[in-house]
Amino acid sequence: MATTTPLTPPDQRRKPPPIPSGTLWWVVCSAAALGLAACSSLGPHRVWGTAAALGYLFAALLAARGRSHRTAGAVAVTGAVLLPLLWLLAVERAQLEVRVVARSAGLLLAEGTPYLQRPLVPEDFNPYLPGMAVFGLPEAVAGPGPLTDPRLWMGAACLAAFALALPAGSRSAPLRWIAACPLVALPLAVGGVDLPVAGLMCLGLALAGRGRAGAAGLALGAAAALKWTAWPAIPVALALLAAASRSADRGEGRRPAERAARCCGLVALLTAAALVLPAALRDPAAFRAHVVDFPLGLTDAVSSAASPLPGHLLATHVPGGRTLALLLLGVSALLLALSLLLRPPETPADAATRLALGLLLAIAFMPASRFGYLVHPLVLAGWAAVGETPGHPLLLRVRKQVSR
């Protein structure tokens, strides 16, 4: 007979920490936006920084006058996302990757591959996996316009996936906060390919935590077809599912949990393969040049992803620094793998935190990286803080399956 008794007593359930939304938080956000507007050489970034600084400032004033977190957050989202987005759409300005995604969709429809055969300058390269071209299909089919702009579809995919990853009934406040956070608000307005990847990773881990292995595999496979940065999420989700076999009483849940892990991994790999392989096999040389050689700095054209992070500094200023940076990147991946084997995450929040830390190390040591990539660990850490439901739903589902 199935049991629905929670494995964690009600008085021991962890309450999510409060979301930063007071006056100080909005002041810090305003200062960060103003700093970007003053220092950036990119026009869309300066537009965003000016509008966002004002939006955050008004949110701070409202918070200081005792207005609700909801009102202040709505003002921050308006100033940091909606207003700069509408202005940039009206003047047809966007970050470079928006044009790259739109062009890749046109190439995919015309030639069966989203990659130029002979890229010469950095703007010719498309360092994303073939699935990313999906967000450019509306523009490729219906033509350029405010409603077909790829950044709208990338932002919508991120926010929708993040919302679905949150517990039902408690989505509005975390969703509002994550949209207003500068590292997310900026790419929502100017365009950012990392947004849908981060959202789908959260959704995949959430579904794995709910015991929905097949659905988790679909979400993670879709994310893995967008960028390489999503691939570490698959072993983390598998470790989360497999951890149920260690936690179930007397080992009764081992086989169901192992079957769930295998199902998730198989679905994720099949989904990613179905979305990536047709375009990759169409022109393997172009695929390698765009998504392997260019991000690793192995082409004559140099990536514009050159924020002063440790990997870039090593590759630029230290003899043999590129090799050292890649070695540190490999060591970070090995340490993450060992942590999953020796101490698998037992809750979705643990899994998201582990993945966020691994991606943070990867971003730090990649030879070609930028601060914008930090949206991955930020979204994962934010979801880990507010998105975990009480108890262990995965273990409950395993116990139900065993007791039938």
Side-chain angles (χ1 to χ4, degrees):
M1 181 176 180
T3 178
T4 57
T5 303
L7 299 184
T8 303
D11 59 346
Q12 295 181 10
R13 294 174 183 173
R14 181 180 64 87
K15 293 183 179 180
I19 298 174
S21 54
T23 304
L24 180 59
W25 166 251
W26 298 125
V27 168
V28 170
C29 291
S30 181
L34 190 61
L36 181 67
C39 299
S40 178
S41 60
L42 301 176
H45 285 197
R46 292 197 298 270
V47 170
W48 177 85
T50 303
L54 293 174
Y56 291 136
L57 182 59
F58 280 121
L61 293 174
L62 290 173
R65 297 183 64 178
R67 297 296 181 89
S68 67
H69 295 324
R70 181 176 183 177
T71 300
V75 169
V77 171
T78 301
V81 179
L82 296 180
L83 292 181
L85 174 61
L86 292 175
W87 173 259
L88 291 170
L89 287 173
V91 298
E92 298 181 352
R93 298 289 301 277
Q95 202 159 251
L96 175 61
E97 45 258 54
V98 175
R99 295 300 98 212
V100 171
V101 171
R103 183 188 66 209
S104 69
L107 288 171
L108 182 64
L109 292 179
E111 303 178 12
T113 174
Y115 306 109
L116 291 171
Q117 287 188 341
R118 297 178 180 83
L120 299 175
V121 296
E123 292 76 12
D124 292 340
F125 283 89
N126 171 18
Y128 318 122
L129 292 173
M132 192 66 73
V134 169
F135 298 107
L137 289 178
E139 181 171 316
V141 172
L147 296 181
T148 60
D149 192 285
R151 84 189 90 173
L152 292 181
W153 300 97
M154 291 187 289
C158 171
L159 296 179
F162 188 82
L164 292 174
L166 295 168
S170 59
R171 290 171 174 164
S172 61
L175 191 61
R176 188 167 54 249
W177 181 83
I178 202 70
C181 187
L183 273 176
V184 176
L186 172 62
L188 282 175
V190 305
V193 294
D194 296 296
L195 290 176
V197 180
L200 285 170
M201 286 194 293
C202 290
L203 180 58
L205 293 179
L207 292 170
R210 297 167 191 168
R212 300 177 58 185
L218 282 173
L220 294 172
L226 301 180
K227 286 191 74 175
W228 292 119
T229 48
W231 282 82
I234 296 177
V236 172
L238 298 185
L240 173 63
L241 287 163
S245 65
R246 297 188 180 184
S247 301
D249 292 342
R250 298 184 300 277
E252 292 173 337
R254 181 174 299 276
R255 289 183 179 178
E258 289 179 349
R259 284 198 298 269
R262 286 197 296 268
C263 173
C264 178
L266 181 61
V267 171
L269 292 177
L270 289 177
T271 302
L275 294 173
V276 171
L277 286 181
L281 296 177
R282 176 77 174 178
D283 192 341
F287 177 81
R288 176 180 174 179
H290 284 265
V291 304
V292 178
D293 294 345
F294 181 68
L296 293 178
L298 303 178
T299 59
D300 293 335
V302 179
S303 171
S304 60
S307 295
L309 294 166
H312 174 70
L313 295 176
L314 285 173
T316 305
H317 301 292
V318 177
R322 185 176 302 279
T323 301
L324 179 58
L326 294 176
L327 179 61
L328 290 172
L329 187 63
V331 170
S332 300
L334 179 61
L335 290 176
L336 176 62
L338 288 175
S339 75
L340 295 177
L341 290 174
L342 299 177
R343 191 178 179 183
E346 295 186 353
T347 67
D350 292 340
T353 303
R354 194 84 55 89
L355 179 58
L357 179 59
L359 290 175
L360 186 62
L361 291 173
I363 293 166
F365 295 131
M366 283 192 299
S369 186
R370 59 162 61 109
F371 289 119
Y373 296 164
L374 294 173
V375 70
H376 291 294
L378 169 72
V379 172
L380 285 163
W383 177 77
V386 301
E388 185 179 18
T389 54
H392 297 269
L394 173 59
L395 300 184
L396 288 174
R397 176 166 292 206
V398 169
R399 178 170 289 185
K400 289 178 182 179
Q401 292 177 349
V402 172
S403 59
R404 286 173 182 168

